[in-house]
Each structure stands twice: as structure tokens, then as C-alpha cells.
Coordinates of all heavy atoms in Angstrom, one line a residue:
M1 N 14.5 -13.3 11.2 CA 15.5 -12.3 11.1 C 16.8 -12.9 11.6 O 16.9 -13.6 12.6 CB 15.1 -11.1 12.0 CG 16.0 -10.0 11.8 SD 15.6 -8.5 12.8 CE 14.1 -8.1 12.2
A2 N 17.8 -12.6 10.8 CA 19.2 -13.1 11.1 C 19.7 -12.5 12.4 O 19.4 -11.3 12.7 CB 20.1 -12.8 10.0
A3 N 20.5 -13.3 13.2 CA 21.0 -12.8 14.4 C 21.9 -11.5 14.2 O 22.7 -11.5 13.2 CB 21.8 -13.9 15.1
G4 N 21.7 -10.5 15.0 CA 22.6 -9.4 14.9 C 22.1 -8.3 13.8 O 22.7 -7.3 13.7
R5 N 21.0 -8.7 13.2 CA 20.5 -7.7 12.2 C 19.2 -7.1 12.7 O 18.2 -7.7 13.0 CB 20.2 -8.4 10.9 CG 21.5 -8.9 10.2 CD 21.2 -9.5 8.8 NE 20.3 -8.5 8.1 CZ 20.6 -8.1 6.8 NH1 21.6 -8.5 6.2 NH2 19.7 -7.3 6.2
G6 N 19.2 -5.8 12.8 CA 18.1 -5.0 13.2 C 17.4 -4.4 12.0 O 17.7 -4.7 10.9
L7 N 16.5 -3.5 12.3 CA 15.8 -2.8 11.2 C 16.6 -1.6 10.7 O 16.2 -1.0 9.7 CB 14.4 -2.3 11.7 CG 13.4 -3.4 12.0 CD1 12.1 -2.8 12.6 CD2 13.1 -4.2 10.8
G8 N 17.7 -1.3 11.4 CA 18.5 -0.2 10.9 C 17.9 1.1 11.0 O 18.2 2.0 10.2
G9 N 17.0 1.3 12.0 CA 16.3 2.6 12.1 C 15.2 2.8 11.1 O 14.6 3.9 11.1
K10 N 14.9 1.9 10.3 CA 13.8 2.1 9.3 C 12.5 2.0 9.9 O 12.3 1.3 10.9 CB 14.0 1.0 8.2 CG 15.3 1.1 7.4 CD 15.3 0.1 6.3 CE 16.6 0.2 5.6 NZ 16.8 -0.9 4.6
R11 N 11.5 2.7 9.3 CA 10.1 2.6 9.7 C 9.6 1.2 9.4 O 10.0 0.6 8.4 CB 9.3 3.6 9.1 CG 9.8 5.0 9.4 CD 9.0 6.1 8.6 NE 9.0 5.9 7.2 CZ 10.0 6.3 6.4 NH1 11.0 6.9 6.9 NH2 9.9 6.1 5.1
C12 N 8.7 0.7 10.2 CA 8.2 -0.6 10.0 C 6.6 -0.6 9.8 O 6.1 -1.7 9.6 CB 8.6 -1.6 11.1 SG 8.1 -1.1 12.7
I13 N 6.0 0.6 9.8 CA 4.6 0.6 9.6 C 4.4 1.3 8.2 O 4.9 2.4 8.0 CB 3.9 1.5 10.7 CG1 4.1 0.7 12.0 CG2 2.4 1.6 10.4 CD1 3.6 1.5 13.2
R14 N 3.7 0.7 7.4 CA 3.4 1.2 6.0 C 1.9 1.6 5.9 O 1.1 0.8 6.4 CB 3.8 0.2 5.0 CG 5.3 -0.1 5.0 CD 5.6 -1.0 3.8 NE 7.0 -1.4 3.9 CZ 8.0 -0.7 3.4 NH1 7.8 0.5 2.8 NH2 9.3 -1.1 3.5
K15 N 1.7 2.7 5.3 CA 0.3 3.2 5.0 C 0.2 3.5 3.6 O 1.1 4.0 3.0 CB 0.0 4.4 5.9 CG 0.1 4.2 7.4 CD -1.1 3.3 7.8 CE -1.0 3.1 9.3 NZ -1.9 2.1 9.8
S16 N -0.9 3.2 3.0 CA -1.2 3.5 1.6 C -2.0 4.8 1.5 O -2.9 5.0 2.3 CB -2.0 2.4 1.0 OG -2.3 2.7 -0.3
V17 N -1.5 5.7 0.7 CA -2.2 7.0 0.5 C -2.5 7.2 -1.0 O -1.6 6.9 -1.8 CB -1.3 8.2 1.0 CG1 -1.9 9.5 0.7 CG2 -0.9 8.0 2.4
S18 N -3.7 7.5 -1.3 CA -4.1 7.8 -2.7 C -4.0 9.3 -3.0 O -4.4 10.1 -2.2 CB -5.5 7.3 -3.0 OG -5.6 5.9 -2.8
L19 N -3.3 9.6 -4.1 CA -3.2 11.0 -4.5 C -4.0 11.2 -5.8 O -4.0 10.3 -6.7 CB -1.7 11.3 -4.8 CG -0.7 11.2 -3.6 CD1 0.7 11.4 -4.1 CD2 -1.1 12.1 -2.5
T20 N -4.5 12.4 -6.0 CA -5.0 12.8 -7.3 C -3.9 13.0 -8.3 O -2.7 13.1 -7.9 CB -5.9 14.1 -7.2 OG1 -5.0 15.1 -6.9 CG2 -7.0 14.0 -6.2
N21 N -4.2 13.0 -9.5 CA -3.1 13.2 -10.5 C -2.4 14.5 -10.3 O -1.2 14.6 -10.4 CB -3.7 13.2 -12.0 CG -4.1 11.8 -12.4 OD1 -3.6 10.8 -11.9 ND2 -5.0 11.7 -13.3
D22 N -3.2 15.6 -9.9 CA -2.6 16.9 -9.7 C -1.7 16.9 -8.5 O -0.6 17.4 -8.5 CB -3.7 17.9 -9.5 CG -3.2 19.3 -9.4 OD1 -2.4 19.7 -10.3 OD2 -3.6 20.0 -8.4
Q23 N -2.1 16.2 -7.4 CA -1.3 16.1 -6.2 C 0.0 15.3 -6.5 O 1.1 15.6 -6.0 CB -2.0 15.4 -5.0 CG -3.2 16.2 -4.5 CD -4.1 15.4 -3.6 OE1 -4.2 14.2 -3.8 NE2 -4.8 16.1 -2.8
D24 N -0.1 14.2 -7.3 CA 1.0 13.4 -7.6 C 2.0 14.3 -8.4 O 3.2 14.2 -8.2 CB 0.6 12.2 -8.4 CG 1.7 11.3 -8.8 OD1 2.4 10.8 -7.8 OD2 1.9 11.0 -10.0
K25 N 1.5 15.0 -9.4 CA 2.4 15.8 -10.2 C 3.1 16.9 -9.4 O 4.3 17.1 -9.5 CB 1.6 16.5 -11.3 CG 2.3 17.5 -12.2 CD 1.4 18.2 -13.2 CE 2.2 19.3 -14.0 NZ 1.2 20.0 -14.8
K26 N 2.4 17.6 -8.5 CA 3.0 18.6 -7.7 C 4.0 18.0 -6.7 O 5.1 18.6 -6.5 CB 1.9 19.3 -6.9 CG 1.0 20.2 -7.7 CD 0.0 20.9 -6.8 CE -1.0 21.8 -7.6 NZ -2.1 22.3 -6.8
S27 N 3.7 16.9 -6.1 CA 4.7 16.3 -5.2 C 5.9 15.8 -5.9 O 7.0 15.9 -5.3 CB 4.0 15.2 -4.3 OG 3.5 14.1 -5.1
K28 N 5.8 15.3 -7.1 CA 6.9 14.8 -7.9 C 7.8 16.0 -8.2 O 9.1 15.9 -8.0 CB 6.5 14.1 -9.1 CG 6.0 12.7 -9.0 CD 5.6 12.1 -10.3 CE 5.1 10.7 -10.1 NZ 4.6 10.1 -11.4
L29 N 7.2 17.1 -8.6 CA 8.0 18.3 -9.0 C 8.7 18.9 -7.7 O 9.9 19.2 -7.8 CB 7.2 19.3 -9.6 CG 6.6 19.0 -11.0 CD1 5.6 20.1 -11.5 CD2 7.8 18.9 -12.0
L30 N 8.0 18.9 -6.6 CA 8.6 19.4 -5.4 C 9.8 18.5 -4.9 O 10.8 18.9 -4.5 CB 7.6 19.6 -4.3 CG 8.1 20.2 -3.0 CD1 8.7 21.5 -3.2 CD2 6.9 20.3 -2.0
A31 N 9.5 17.2 -5.0 CA 10.6 16.2 -4.6 C 11.8 16.4 -5.5 O 13.0 16.4 -4.9 CB 10.0 14.8 -4.8
I32 N 11.7 16.6 -6.8 CA 12.8 16.8 -7.6 C 13.5 18.1 -7.2 O 14.8 18.1 -7.1 CB 12.4 16.9 -9.1 CG1 11.9 15.5 -9.6 CG2 13.5 17.4 -10.0 CD1 11.2 15.5 -10.9
S33 N 12.8 19.2 -7.0 CA 13.3 20.4 -6.6 C 14.1 20.3 -5.3 O 15.2 20.9 -5.1 CB 12.2 21.5 -6.4 OG 12.7 22.6 -5.8
C34 N 13.7 19.4 -4.4 CA 14.3 19.3 -3.1 C 15.3 18.1 -3.1 O 15.9 17.8 -2.0 CB 13.3 19.0 -2.0 SG 12.1 20.4 -1.7
D35 N 15.6 17.5 -4.2 CA 16.5 16.4 -4.4 C 16.3 15.3 -3.4 O 17.2 14.8 -2.7 CB 18.0 17.0 -4.2 CG 19.0 16.0 -4.7 OD1 18.7 15.1 -5.6 OD2 20.1 15.9 -4.1
M36 N 15.0 14.8 -3.4 CA 14.7 13.7 -2.6 C 13.6 12.9 -3.4 O 13.0 13.4 -4.3 CB 14.2 14.1 -1.2 CG 13.0 14.9 -1.1 SD 12.4 15.3 0.6 CE 13.7 16.4 1.1
S37 N 13.4 11.7 -2.9 CA 12.4 10.9 -3.5 C 11.0 11.4 -3.1 O 10.8 12.1 -2.1 CB 12.5 9.4 -3.1 OG 12.1 9.2 -1.8
Q38 N 10.0 11.1 -4.0 CA 8.6 11.5 -3.7 C 8.2 10.9 -2.3 O 7.5 11.6 -1.5 CB 7.7 11.0 -4.8 CG 6.3 11.6 -4.7 CD 5.4 11.1 -5.8 OE1 5.7 10.2 -6.5 NE2 4.3 11.8 -6.0
A39 N 8.5 9.7 -2.0 CA 8.2 9.0 -0.8 C 8.8 9.8 0.4 O 8.1 10.0 1.4 CB 8.5 7.6 -0.8
E40 N 10.1 10.1 0.3 CA 10.7 10.9 1.4 C 10.1 12.2 1.6 O 9.9 12.6 2.7 CB 12.2 11.1 1.0 CG 13.1 10.0 1.1 CD 14.5 10.3 0.6 OE1 14.7 10.8 -0.5 OE2 15.5 10.0 1.3
L41 N 9.7 12.9 0.5 CA 9.1 14.2 0.6 C 7.7 14.1 1.3 O 7.4 14.8 2.2 CB 8.9 14.9 -0.8 CG 8.1 16.1 -0.7 CD1 8.9 17.3 -0.2 CD2 7.6 16.5 -2.1
L42 N 6.9 13.1 0.9 CA 5.6 13.0 1.5 C 5.7 12.6 2.9 O 4.9 13.0 3.8 CB 4.7 12.0 0.7 CG 4.4 12.5 -0.8 CD1 3.7 11.4 -1.6 CD2 3.5 13.7 -0.7
S43 N 6.6 11.7 3.3 CA 6.8 11.3 4.7 C 7.2 12.6 5.5 O 6.7 12.7 6.6 CB 7.9 10.3 4.7 OG 8.2 9.9 6.1
L44 N 8.1 13.4 5.0 CA 8.5 14.6 5.7 C 7.4 15.5 5.9 O 7.2 16.1 6.9 CB 9.7 15.3 4.9 CG 10.2 16.6 5.5 CD1 10.8 16.3 6.9 CD2 11.2 17.2 4.5
M45 N 6.5 15.7 4.9 CA 5.4 16.6 5.0 C 4.4 16.1 6.0 O 3.8 16.9 6.8 CB 4.6 16.7 3.6 CG 5.5 17.4 2.6 SD 4.7 17.4 0.9 CE 3.5 18.7 1.2
I46 N 4.2 14.8 6.2 CA 3.4 14.2 7.2 C 4.0 14.5 8.6 O 3.3 14.9 9.5 CB 3.1 12.7 7.0 CG1 2.3 12.5 5.8 CG2 2.5 12.1 8.2 CD1 2.1 11.1 5.3
K47 N 5.3 14.3 8.7 CA 6.0 14.5 10.0 C 5.8 16.0 10.4 O 5.5 16.3 11.6 CB 7.5 14.2 9.9 CG 7.8 12.7 9.8 CD 9.3 12.5 9.7 CE 9.6 11.1 9.3 NZ 11.0 10.9 9.0
I48 N 6.0 16.9 9.5 CA 5.9 18.3 9.8 C 4.5 18.7 10.2 O 4.3 19.4 11.1 CB 6.4 19.2 8.6 CG1 7.9 19.0 8.4 CG2 6.0 20.6 8.7 CD1 8.4 19.6 7.1
S49 N 3.5 18.1 9.5 CA 2.1 18.4 9.8 C 1.7 17.9 11.2 O 1.0 18.6 11.9 CB 1.2 17.7 8.7 OG 1.5 18.2 7.5
L50 N 2.2 16.7 11.5 CA 1.8 16.2 12.9 C 2.6 16.9 14.0 O 2.2 16.7 15.1 CB 2.1 14.6 12.9 CG 1.2 13.8 12.0 CD1 1.6 12.4 12.0 CD2 -0.3 13.9 12.5
D51 N 3.6 17.6 13.7 CA 4.3 18.4 14.7 C 4.0 19.8 14.7 O 4.7 20.7 15.2 CB 5.9 18.2 14.5 CG 6.3 16.8 14.9 OD1 5.6 16.2 15.7 OD2 7.4 16.4 14.5
S52 N 2.8 20.2 14.0 CA 2.4 21.6 13.9 C 1.1 21.7 14.6 O 0.0 21.4 14.1 CB 2.2 21.9 12.4 OG 1.6 23.2 12.3
P53 N 1.1 22.2 15.9 CA -0.2 22.3 16.7 C -1.2 23.2 16.0 O -2.4 22.9 16.0 CB 0.3 23.0 18.0 CG 1.7 22.5 18.1 CD 2.3 22.5 16.7
N54 N -0.7 24.3 15.3 CA -1.7 25.1 14.6 C -2.4 24.4 13.5 O -3.7 24.5 13.3 CB -1.0 26.3 13.9 CG -0.5 27.3 15.0 OD1 -1.0 27.3 16.1 ND2 0.5 28.1 14.7
L55 N -1.7 23.6 12.7 CA -2.4 22.8 11.6 C -3.3 21.7 12.2 O -4.4 21.5 11.7 CB -1.3 22.1 10.7 CG -1.9 21.3 9.6 CD1 -2.8 22.1 8.7 CD2 -0.8 20.7 8.8
I56 N -2.9 21.1 13.3 CA -3.7 20.1 13.9 C -5.0 20.7 14.4 O -6.1 20.2 14.2 CB -3.0 19.4 15.1 CG1 -1.8 18.6 14.6 CG2 -3.9 18.6 15.9 CD1 -0.8 18.2 15.6
N57 N -4.9 21.9 15.0 CA -6.1 22.6 15.4 C -7.0 23.0 14.3 O -8.3 22.9 14.4 CB -5.8 23.8 16.3 CG -5.2 23.3 17.7 OD1 -5.6 22.3 18.2 ND2 -4.3 24.1 18.2
V58 N -6.5 23.5 13.2 CA -7.3 23.9 12.0 C -8.0 22.7 11.5 O -9.2 22.7 11.2 CB -6.4 24.5 10.9 CG1 -7.1 24.6 9.6 CG2 -5.9 25.9 11.4
L59 N -7.3 21.5 11.3 CA -7.9 20.3 10.8 C -9.1 19.9 11.7 O -10.2 19.5 11.2 CB -6.9 19.2 10.7 CG -5.9 19.4 9.6 CD1 -4.8 18.3 9.7 CD2 -6.6 19.3 8.2
Q60 N -8.9 19.9 13.0 CA -9.9 19.5 13.9 C -11.1 20.5 13.9 O -12.3 20.1 14.0 CB -9.4 19.3 15.3 CG -8.5 18.1 15.5 CD -8.1 17.8 16.9 OE1 -8.5 16.8 17.4 NE2 -7.4 18.7 17.5
D61 N -10.8 21.8 13.8 CA -11.9 22.7 13.7 C -12.8 22.5 12.5 O -14.0 22.6 12.6 CB -11.4 24.2 13.7 CG -10.7 24.6 15.0 OD1 -11.0 24.0 16.0 OD2 -10.0 25.6 15.0
R62 N -12.2 22.1 11.4 CA -12.9 21.9 10.2 C -13.6 20.5 10.1 O -14.7 20.4 9.6 CB -12.0 22.0 9.0 CG -11.6 23.4 8.7 CD -10.9 23.5 7.4 NE -10.3 24.8 7.2 CZ -9.4 25.2 6.3 NH1 -9.0 24.3 5.4 NH2 -9.0 26.4 6.2
Y63 N -12.9 19.4 10.6 CA -13.3 18.1 10.3 C -13.7 17.2 11.5 O -14.2 16.1 11.3 CB -12.2 17.4 9.5 CG -11.9 18.1 8.2 CD1 -10.7 18.7 8.0 CD2 -12.8 18.1 7.1 CE1 -10.4 19.4 6.9 CE2 -12.5 18.8 6.0 CZ -11.3 19.4 5.8 OH -11.0 20.1 4.7
N64 N -13.4 17.7 12.7 CA -13.8 16.9 13.9 C -15.3 16.6 13.9 O -16.1 17.5 13.9 CB -13.3 17.5 15.2 CG -13.6 16.7 16.4 OD1 -14.6 16.7 16.9 ND2 -12.6 15.9 16.7
K65 N -15.6 15.3 14.1 CA -17.0 14.9 14.1 C -17.4 14.5 15.5 O -18.6 14.3 15.8 CB -17.3 13.7 13.2 CG -16.9 14.0 11.7 CD -17.9 15.0 11.2 CE -17.6 15.2 9.7 NZ -18.0 16.4 9.2
N66 N -16.4 14.2 16.4 CA -16.7 13.7 17.7 C -15.8 14.3 18.7 O -14.6 14.0 18.8 CB -16.6 12.1 17.7 CG -17.1 11.5 19.0 OD1 -17.1 12.2 20.0 ND2 -17.5 10.3 18.9
E67 N -16.3 15.2 19.5 CA -15.5 15.9 20.5 C -14.8 15.0 21.5 O -13.7 15.3 22.0 CB -16.3 17.0 21.3 CG -16.7 18.2 20.4 CD -15.6 19.0 20.0 OE1 -14.7 19.3 20.9 OE2 -15.6 19.5 18.9
K68 N -15.3 13.8 21.7 CA -14.8 12.9 22.6 C -13.4 12.4 22.2 O -12.5 12.1 23.0 CB -15.7 11.6 22.7 CG -15.2 10.5 23.5 CD -16.2 9.4 23.5 CE -15.7 8.2 24.2 NZ -16.7 7.0 24.1
F69 N -13.1 12.5 20.9 CA -11.8 12.0 20.3 C -10.9 13.1 19.9 O -9.8 12.9 19.3 CB -12.0 11.1 19.2 CG -12.8 9.8 19.5 CD1 -14.1 9.6 19.2 CD2 -12.1 8.8 20.3 CE1 -14.7 8.5 19.5 CE2 -12.8 7.7 20.7 CZ -14.1 7.5 20.3
K70 N -11.2 14.4 20.3 CA -10.4 15.5 19.9 C -9.1 15.4 20.7 O -9.1 15.1 21.9 CB -11.1 16.8 20.2 CG -10.4 18.0 19.7 CD -11.3 19.3 19.9 CE -10.6 20.5 19.2 NZ -11.4 21.6 19.2
V71 N -8.0 15.7 20.0 CA -6.7 15.7 20.6 C -6.2 17.1 20.9 O -6.7 18.1 20.2 CB -5.6 15.0 19.7 CG1 -6.0 13.5 19.5 CG2 -5.4 15.7 18.4
F72 N -5.4 17.3 21.9 CA -4.9 18.6 22.3 C -3.4 18.6 22.2 O -2.7 18.0 23.0 CB -5.4 19.0 23.7 CG -6.9 19.0 23.8 CD1 -7.6 17.9 24.2 CD2 -7.6 20.2 23.4 CE1 -9.0 18.0 24.2 CE2 -9.0 20.2 23.5 CZ -9.7 19.1 23.9
P73 N -2.8 19.2 21.1 CA -1.4 19.2 21.0 C -0.7 20.1 22.0 O -1.2 21.2 22.3 CB -1.2 19.6 19.5 CG -2.4 20.4 19.2 CD -3.5 19.8 20.0
G74 N 0.4 19.7 22.5 CA 1.2 20.5 23.4 C 2.6 20.1 23.3 O 3.0 19.0 22.9
H75 N 3.5 21.0 23.8 CA 5.0 20.7 23.8 C 5.4 20.1 25.1 O 5.1 20.5 26.2 CB 5.7 22.0 23.5 CG 5.5 22.6 22.2 ND1 6.2 22.1 21.1 CD2 4.7 23.5 21.7 CE1 5.8 22.8 20.0 NE2 4.8 23.7 20.4
V76 N 6.1 19.0 24.9 CA 6.7 18.3 26.1 C 8.2 18.0 25.7 O 8.5 17.3 24.8 CB 6.0 16.9 26.4 CG1 6.7 16.2 27.5 CG2 4.5 17.2 26.7
N77 N 9.1 18.6 26.5 CA 10.5 18.4 26.2 C 10.9 18.8 24.7 O 11.6 18.0 24.1 CB 11.0 17.0 26.6 CG 10.8 16.7 28.0 OD1 11.0 17.6 28.9 ND2 10.5 15.5 28.4
G78 N 10.3 19.8 24.2 CA 10.6 20.3 22.8 C 10.0 19.4 21.8 O 10.3 19.6 20.6
K79 N 9.1 18.5 22.1 CA 8.4 17.7 21.2 C 6.9 17.8 21.3 O 6.4 18.0 22.4 CB 8.8 16.2 21.5 CG 8.4 15.2 20.5 CD 9.0 13.8 20.9 CE 8.3 12.7 20.1 NZ 8.7 11.4 20.5
V80 N 6.2 17.8 20.2 CA 4.7 17.9 20.2 C 4.1 16.5 20.6 O 4.5 15.5 20.0 CB 4.2 18.3 18.8 CG1 2.6 18.3 18.8 CG2 4.6 19.7 18.5
E81 N 3.3 16.6 21.6 CA 2.6 15.4 22.1 C 1.1 15.7 22.0 O 0.7 16.8 22.1 CB 3.0 15.0 23.5 CG 4.5 14.7 23.7 CD 4.8 13.3 23.2 OE1 3.9 12.5 22.9 OE2 6.0 13.1 22.9
F82 N 0.3 14.6 22.0 CA -1.2 14.8 22.0 C -1.7 14.4 23.3 O -1.3 13.4 23.9 CB -1.8 13.9 20.9 CG -1.5 14.3 19.5 CD1 -1.9 13.5 18.5 CD2 -0.9 15.5 19.2 CE1 -1.6 13.8 17.2 CE2 -0.6 15.8 17.9 CZ -1.0 15.0 16.9
F83 N -2.7 15.2 23.8 CA -3.3 14.9 25.1 C -4.8 14.7 24.9 O -5.4 15.2 24.0 CB -3.0 16.0 26.1 CG -1.5 16.2 26.3 CD1 -0.9 17.3 25.7 CD2 -0.8 15.5 27.2 CE1 0.5 17.5 25.8 CE2 0.5 15.7 27.4 CZ 1.2 16.7 26.7

């Protein structure tokens, strides 16, 4: 990396997500409606989901297989943290 050049606040962890054709179509249309790229929209949806204690609890109620790894979302300084 060149001296003085940082990441500029960009994310540096990339994850691959597979979408069905229907999910791809819906997310593209919603992204157009919101005037953002599909990647920006999906990233925003993940951020909102991870900051929603209710959604986290619903997902764990349905899909948790090991109580040992269950997370407990809570608010700390206005931010959702996992305990």
C-alpha cells in the first residue's frame, strides 16, 4: 500500500451470497426504486437485520441448533451488541 493511502473507510471483508432468480429480480427492482446499487441495498438490508433484536430472536427461535452458541442482542450506548 502506498504511503498515506488508507482504505478510505471502505469495508475490507467480502462475503459471497447466492440469490435465487426471484430474490435477484426483487432486490434489483428495489435497488432501482431506492436509487442505489443492488450491492448497496443488500448490504444495507444485512446491516438493518443485524441491528434488529426482534429479527435476531426470530431467526434463532426458528433455526438455532445449539443453545451453547445462542446470542443475546442488547443495546449498549445506542448500538446493538451480542452477548
Side-chain angles (χ1 to χ4, degrees):
M1 185 180 296
R5 291 188 48 130
L7 293 176
K10 295 180 183 175
R11 298 175 305 277
C12 57
I13 298 173
R14 298 188 184 271
K15 300 289 180 191
S16 177
V17 176
S18 296
L19 301 174
T20 64
N21 289 337
D22 188 50
Q23 293 166 336
D24 184 57
K25 178 183 171 186
K26 288 177 182 177
S27 63
K28 281 180 183 174
L29 290 172
L30 184 56
I32 291 168
S33 171
C34 296
D35 192 28
M36 60 178 69
S37 73
Q38 187 179 16
E40 287 175 307
L41 173 74
L42 294 172
S43 177
L44 180 61
M45 292 175 78
I46 291 170
K47 288 178 193 175
I48 291 170
S49 298
L50 291 173
D51 286 338
S52 172
N54 291 336
L55 179 57
I56 293 165
N57 289 327
V58 167
L59 289 170
Q60 288 188 116
D61 289 344
R62 287 188 190 168
Y63 302 109
N64 182 274
K65 302 291 185 208
N66 189 335
E67 289 293 317
K68 177 180 173 182
F69 296 107
K70 189 170 184 173
V71 298
F72 300 94
H75 292 278
V76 176
N77 296 327
K79 186 175 170 186
V80 174
E81 297 288 341
F82 293 170
F83 304 98

